[in-house]
Structures are given as structure tokens and as C-alpha cells.
Amino acid sequence: MKILLIGANGEIGKILHPAFAKNHEIISAGRNSGDFRIDLSDSNSIEKLFKEVKNIDACICVAGDCYTGDLLSLDEKKLNIGIQNKLLGQVNLVLIGQKYLNDNGSITLTSGKMGDKPVKNNASKAIVNGGINSFVLTASLELERGIRINVISPAKVADIPTENLINAYAKSIEETINGEIIKVNY
């Protein structure tokens, strides 16, 4: 399987890349590193990536910035960090990527536990992660050509056994599930 891994040099990407490279062809992409460059906040950059990378069976996105801070410090500019990068970035990845992905392909997005179990000082993450989860649930009902979509919602990565994280992403791309929010360690 040929997998496009966006955010391959990030915390989760560094775990997934070597694990999946054992059985799959991995094409890495990131803002500053990888085989290709992508800016998730720019739909033109997303389109350019999919035009350059051909015959993708699966796309995994483990990228996207988000603001962390208390509610009193949150404003539109800080909220838009997560909305533009993580939420709209991943939504646009699906809207654009579905046209380029092989038939019966798989798209896996990443949210986080704040979408279900928010904690103090993380309103922005709760909004963004909840939005990603809701988008996946609805998009799974409409994607065509057998394309599947799921979202991994991990707890804090440092608190997750590496094997659990790898297994969650493997389940999304290697099984036939669709429209699932796969919660990891919470």
C-alpha cells in the first residue's frame, strides 16, 4: 500500500513512519521536512501536493497547529490558529484529496481527546478536535468510489504505549471500517 503521511516529522509521525515503512511504501510530507512540502492552511499547497504524489492508497494526517491557553486569553486570532491549520487544513485535505486518492482508498485524520473530554485551558483544542470528529462522521456518509475516512483521537502521546497508537492508525487504513472515531488511551 502506498501511504501519504502528512506530519511525518512530528511527534506521532516519527512513531508511525518506521512502523508502517516495514510493510508499506511511505511518502512523507510536512511544512519543513519530508519528501514533499505542504502547508495545511493553504488549499493551493494541498492541491499541489496531490498533483505531485500519484497513486495514493491511503492518506494519514498527523499535522496541524492549535492554540493552548485559558479562556480569557483566547481571541479570534488565537482560535484561528487551530481552525485554519488543524480543522480546515484536514477538512480541505479530504475535500481535495478525495479526487486524487485511488478507488477504495483510506483517509485518516487526527483529532484528540479534547474533542470529547476537554480540560481547563484547552477551549480551542476542544472546538477544533470536536469539529474534526463531526466532519469525519458526516463525510463518511458521502465519500464516493469506496473511499473510507476515519479519525484517530489520541490522549496525550507521551501517555500512550507506542503499540496502541500504531495499532489505531493501522486499524483505520488496513481494515474496512468507515466513519469511526478511534479513541486511544482515554
Side-chain angles (χ1 to χ4, degrees):
M1 183 182 306
K2 187 174 181 181
I3 301 170
L4 173 60
L5 179 59
I6 298 171
N9 202 38
E11 189 174 15
I12 297 173
K14 286 180 182 177
I15 295 167
L16 298 181
H17 192 278
F20 287 135
K22 293 174 187 173
N23 298 312
H24 304 289
E25 178 185 354
I26 306 298
I27 307 299
S28 62
R31 186 179 8 208
N32 300 309
S33 63
D35 301 318
F36 294 90
R37 297 291 173 269
I38 183 173
D39 176 357
L40 279 179
S41 67
D42 179 359
S43 59
N44 291 322
S45 176
I46 295 169
E47 184 93 40
K48 181 178 183 272
L49 174 66
F50 280 106
K51 285 181 177 179
E52 291 175 341
V53 181
K54 306 286 187 210
N55 297 313
I56 299 298
D57 299 303
C59 177
I60 298 173
C61 184
V62 291
D65 295 331
C66 206
Y67 174 75
T68 300
D70 65 59
L71 190 62
L72 293 176
S73 71
L74 188 61
D75 58 25
E76 185 176 347
K77 183 177 179 182
K78 291 173 183 166
L79 185 57
N80 274 327
I81 293 169
I83 290 172
Q84 292 297 318
N85 284 281
K86 189 170 181 180
L87 177 57
L88 284 178
Q90 290 190 76
V91 167
N92 282 329
L93 191 69
V94 174
L95 297 177
I96 295 166
Q98 68 177 324
K99 300 177 221 168
Y100 296 93
L101 206 63
N102 289 341
D103 289 355
N104 303 307
S106 170
I107 300 171
T108 304
L109 304 183
T110 303
S111 62
K113 79 172 187 177
M114 299 299 166
D116 293 315
K117 296 186 177 223
V119 297
K120 190 175 179 179
N121 298 327
N122 283 285
S124 178
K125 287 182 179 179
I127 291 166
V128 168
N129 291 337
I132 293 166
N133 291 348
S134 294
F135 173 73
V136 166
L137 294 175
T138 57
S140 69
L141 303 173
E142 298 185 50
L143 288 172
E144 298 178 347
R145 299 184 298 109
I147 295 174
R148 301 175 300 102
I149 184 170
N150 298 292
V151 60
I152 309 302
S153 179
K156 185 177 177 183
V157 175
D159 297 337
I160 302 173
T162 301
E163 185 177 316
N164 292 6
L165 198 59
I166 294 166
N167 288 341
Y169 284 91
K171 178 179 181 176
S172 178
I173 64 167
E174 294 173 354
E175 295 183 14
T176 59
I177 62 172
N178 185 36
E180 298 289 326
I181 300 170
I182 302 169
K183 298 175 184 179
V184 185
N185 284 66
Y186 70 93

